[in-house]
Amino acid sequence: MAGRIRQSDVEEVKARTNIADIIGERVALKNAGVGAMKGLCPFHDERSPSFNVRPQAGFYHCFGCGESGDVYSFLTRMDHVSFTEAVERLAGRIGYTLHYEDGGAAPEHTGRTRLYAANTAAAQFFRAQLQTPEAEIARRFLGERGFDAGAAGHFGVGYAPKGWSAMHDALRSQGFTDEELTNAGLVSQGQRGVYDRFRGRVVWPIRDVTGQVIGFGARRLFDDDKGPKYLNTPETTVYKKAQVLYGLDLAKRDISRDHRVVVVEGYTDVMACHLAGITTAIATCGTAFGSDHITVLRRVMGDDSTAGEVVFTFDPDAAGQKAALRAFADAKRFNAQTYVATGPEGLDPCDLRLRRGDAAVRGLMETKVPMVEFVLDQRIAGFDLASVEGRVGALRAAAPVVAELRDALLQPEYVRVLARRLGMDTEDVRREVERAGRGASRRDERSPDAARDPEPPSGETLTRVTLASLPRTADATLERDALMGILQFGHRLDPSLVTRALSLPFRHPALDAVRRAVEESSDAQRPGWAVDAIGRIREPYRSLGAELLAADFPALDDAAAVASTADLARRLVIRGLDTEKNEMLGAIQRVPAASDEGRAIRLRLRELDAQRQQLVAEAG
């Protein structure tokens, strides 16, 4: 059995992998200073980005929750894979052949790798089955909805045969066990053993944001199928329906670029939108749109401003209206503006494309209305606005919607909108909105979770030292900035200057603790040295080291950052020379001038002056 992966291979794979590419598949990253990128943290919910990535160092750090590490720790933490699986996944990505040490520990596998492999094999099986004679009904189903073979291929649509074990037998022949297929949600357990979960259905592969198949959605085709119209993969280790969005793997780049996402209700609607040119369309998978979906989308959108748009498409029937109201309750967690678009005659995007063409689907976005207005209309729709009682009832139903708006500019505008809708005096509406707001505040205060701060990350203590906790003294500022520059740009500096600067004790204890760890790992020409240095530090100082490596260095560009770091290192050395000179000047007062000790001190003073002059000259 293969043993432990060679350490040299582990380091080589990491050196060849751009951490920004891996993280960027899950989080929208933007340039943020010299050599830095920033996005919303994938490890905790936040409204403003505090998650920094340093591609050159191969390091990430969140200034909000304190999570930090390299590309391997990111994958193990984010995807719940073992270290060995993380290395193997990245090696496969770059086409690097790993070597294993004989006699070492056997590779650790969480089982997730086999689930991914089983789902991928199943997707290939279903895709191939779509070409068989039995799948004529599936091809006809797709064709009647405007999807040709090219569209089916683009989205990986397939067909599950009617038999009880066709897929099971095919995957068993590839080496998958019944346990693995059960854990992947591909087979179900019956009295006579396992049988295919999906049978006689058109099948859509559901992928995570990185493009790995994690489950399936399947639609009934045959009249004698007594199962549900749509059947999805059950909850598994890799498939969590509350966090999965169909089409996100295809839409993520355009969502990140355009800061717009279109939320539709089904797989065929996603297909129709993408084929019509709305390539930011996604859909939930057998569950209502909820807070976990919002968290996923915000990370992909880079939702840190109000410039983005989230457009929901809902059927105008009662179920669609109910879905809209549920979505409104959660949509306030978006920074982006939220809208609702409904098709003419209640047509969903798939039917709209089929009847009126691609342009009509694109035009759907031009008819969108702010979600607040849509919800207000839903709240007042059941009241007779021709009567006083009806208008008052409608006001009481709609006022809480406006009261929940926290934007100081939006709320008074929507007071006026509601007043016009109801034909009532603006002041009367404003007072009712304020009353509704006070009632909501009292309910929040009574809630046991009201205003509760999020739990601190595991292992965090109150003694943790951070950049914000450092004193604003000249010494601390010099030491902080020098360490920050050396960690980030040390590989671009004269190694002798770096070594000399780090050999001198720092005056702030926390910064000196970081300095010692960096000094022990100061081979700045070796890839990953800075991350290794941070790994040597223990709390309460490790967080400080991580922040120094991830923080924005104050410089306009890369060249300026390198020059500034070199200057900071020289200033540390000059400070050390000045400190030693002051000590020598004190010592010379205590010894006879003609003594050997006196002559040695004067010689050392001349050497210190010469060294200082040289450093000043180098600084220009």
Side-chain angles (χ1 to χ4, degrees):
M1 180 179 290
R4 182 166 54 89
I5 301 173
R6 290 181 187 174
Q7 185 60 32
S8 58
D9 283 356
V10 172
E11 294 175 358
E12 185 66 21
V13 169
K14 182 163 68 171
R16 294 191 189 188
T17 300
N18 186 339
I19 191 173
D21 290 342
I22 304 303
I23 295 177
E25 292 180 343
R26 300 158 174 82
V27 179
L29 297 175
K30 299 178 181 178
N31 290 329
V34 181
M37 306 185 81
K38 184 179 289 187
L40 293 172
C41 180
F43 301 121
H44 82 288
D45 196 16
E46 60 180 4
R47 296 193 68 81
S48 298
S50 59
F51 185 77
N52 284 34
V53 179
R54 284 272 165 192
Q56 284 190 335
F59 186 75
Y60 66 88
H61 177 77
C62 177
F63 286 80
C65 69
E67 284 287 343
S68 62
D70 61 10
V71 67
Y72 294 138
S73 63
F74 180 83
L75 285 179
T76 56
R77 174 82 168 81
M78 191 72 191
D79 291 354
H80 306 287
V81 297
S82 69
F83 177 81
T84 298
E85 287 173 309
V87 179
E88 290 174 340
R89 182 184 295 185
L90 293 179
R93 183 186 178 104
I94 63 175
Y96 184 88
T97 301
L98 294 172
H99 303 86
Y100 296 83
E101 297 177 355
D102 294 335
E108 297 178 13
H109 289 287
T110 61
R112 294 172 69 94
T113 299
R114 293 296 289 173
L115 297 190
Y116 288 128
N119 279 306
T120 299
Q124 293 169 349
F125 171 80
F126 293 140
R127 184 77 188 94
Q129 293 299 306
L130 188 62
Q131 310 307 316
T132 62
E134 182 189 325
E136 169 60 27
I137 187 173
R139 295 192 295 272
R140 187 167 63 250
F141 169 89
L142 293 170
E144 290 172 349
R145 284 154 181 77
F147 305 127
D148 58 16
H154 180 68
F155 291 93
V157 184
Y159 172 72
K162 289 192 73 174
W164 291 89
S165 63
M167 188 235 33
H168 168 264
D169 295 344
L171 267 62
R172 280 300 302 265
S173 70
Q174 297 180 37
F176 293 99
T177 66
D178 284 355
E179 181 181 10
E180 289 170 339
L181 298 179
T182 301
N183 290 339
L186 294 168
V187 297
S188 300
Q189 184 70 44
Q191 293 181 347
R192 299 182 180 180
V194 298
Y195 58 91
D196 289 355
R197 178 177 178 84
F198 305 110
R199 306 178 309 281
R201 289 173 175 258
V202 62
V203 179
W204 287 267
I206 299 171
R207 301 181 177 93
D208 65 14
V209 71
T210 69
Q212 294 194 92
V213 181
I214 57 175
F216 298 91
R219 193 209 188 265
R220 184 179 60 207
L221 294 173
F222 295 94
D223 293 337
D224 59 355
D225 185 342
K226 303 306 179 184
K229 182 177 180 180
Y230 282 95
L231 181 66
N232 285 74
T233 295
E235 294 277 311
T236 70
T237 304
V238 298
Y239 181 81
K240 308 291 184 185
K241 64 182 180 181
Q243 302 170 5
V244 175
L245 290 164
Y246 176 72
L248 185 58
D249 58 308
L250 299 174
K252 65 182 180 182
R253 295 196 183 280
D254 288 348
I255 290 173
S256 177
R257 182 193 65 202
D258 300 340
H259 303 291
R260 170 192 270 191
V261 63
V262 178
V263 183
V264 298
E265 293 196 314
Y267 308 122
T268 56
D269 291 333
V270 171
M271 295 175 69
C273 284
H274 279 251
L275 294 173
I278 303 177
T279 54
T280 60
I282 53 89
T284 60
C285 300
T287 185
F289 188 84
S291 59
D292 286 342
H293 296 126
I294 292 173
T295 299
V296 172
L297 279 179
R298 290 187 62 235
R299 290 167 187 156
V300 175
M301 290 179 69
D303 180 25
D304 58 347
S305 72
T306 58
E309 290 185 0
V310 181
V311 183
F312 294 86
T313 63
F314 295 111
D315 292 337
D317 58 16
Q321 294 171 11
K322 186 176 180 180
L325 294 176
R326 280 198 307 266
F328 176 69
D330 281 322
K332 294 186 288 295
R333 295 184 56 227
F334 282 112
N335 280 344
Q337 300 300 310
T338 55
Y339 298 87
V340 173
T342 55
E345 302 175 27
L347 296 174
D348 60 32
C350 182
D351 289 336
L352 183 61
R353 176 174 179 265
L354 194 61
R355 296 188 189 183
R356 304 191 182 184
D358 291 346
V361 178
R362 293 192 295 271
L364 188 61
M365 296 301 101
E366 298 174 6
T367 66
K368 67 181 187 294
V369 297
M371 179 170 271
V372 179
E373 290 189 23
F374 181 85
V375 173
L376 285 176
D377 289 341
Q378 298 301 313
R379 288 288 178 90
I380 66 179
F383 294 90
D384 178 12
L385 301 185
S387 69
V388 173
E389 291 79 7
R391 290 194 295 273
V392 171
L395 174 59
R396 287 172 177 164
V401 175
V402 181
E404 290 175 6
L405 299 175
R406 293 294 176 255
D407 191 310
L409 295 177
L410 281 180
Q411 190 181 74
E413 287 298 318
Y414 274 106
V415 165
R416 286 187 279 273
V417 168
L418 182 56
R420 287 195 299 270
R421 290 278 207 282
L422 300 177
M424 297 181 69
D425 183 76
T426 302
E427 272 302 301
D428 291 338
V429 173
R430 183 186 62 77
R431 282 193 295 270
E432 182 60 23
V433 167
E434 289 179 351
R435 189 193 67 78
R438 288 193 298 270
S441 297
R442 286 193 294 271
R443 288 192 296 273
D444 289 343
E445 290 169 2
R446 289 194 297 269
S447 170
D449 296 324
R452 179 178 295 175
D453 290 329
E455 291 293 324
S458 176
E460 180 179 281
T461 66
L462 295 177
T463 59
R464 188 165 63 100
V465 181
T466 64
L467 287 174
S469 67
L470 294 175
R472 297 183 179 180
T473 63
D475 281 331
T477 300
L478 171 61
E479 293 166 359
R480 177 200 66 195
D481 292 349
L483 274 176
M484 190 186 303
I486 289 172
L487 281 167
Q488 296 177 19
F489 306 102
H491 60 289
R492 303 276 299 278
L493 302 181
D494 178 356
S496 63
L497 177 60
V498 174
T499 300
R500 194 174 179 188
L502 293 176
S503 68
L504 301 168
F506 281 8
R507 295 172 184 175
H508 190 279
L511 291 166
D512 193 58
V514 176
R515 176 200 65 81
R516 290 195 301 271
V518 176
E519 182 186 17
E520 293 174 4
S521 307
S522 60
D523 180 11
Q525 306 309 309
R526 178 176 57 83
W529 77 276
V531 178
D532 292 344
I534 301 305
R536 291 175 177 269
I537 310 172
R538 295 293 175 263
E539 293 293 12
Y541 305 126
R542 186 186 181 281
S543 298
L544 176 60
E547 290 187 358
L548 288 165
L549 177 53
D552 296 339
F553 187 81
L556 294 177
D557 54 37
D558 191 66
V562 173
S564 177
T565 301
D567 179 64
L568 290 164
R570 281 189 289 266
R571 286 171 59 189
L572 284 175
V573 177
I574 290 173
R575 187 182 72 172
L577 295 175
D578 291 343
T579 298
E580 185 179 355
K581 180 177 180 179
N582 289 334
E583 293 173 354
M584 293 293 101
L585 290 173
I588 202 170
Q589 303 298 322
R590 299 189 292 272
V591 299
S595 65
D596 291 341
E597 188 177 358
R599 285 190 291 272
I601 291 174
R602 287 195 297 275
L603 180 61
R604 180 57 181 161
L605 284 170
R606 285 194 293 272
E607 291 175 351
L608 293 173
D609 285 337
Q611 291 178 27
R612 194 182 198 284
Q613 290 173 7
Q614 181 180 355
L615 287 167
V616 172
E618 290 175 357

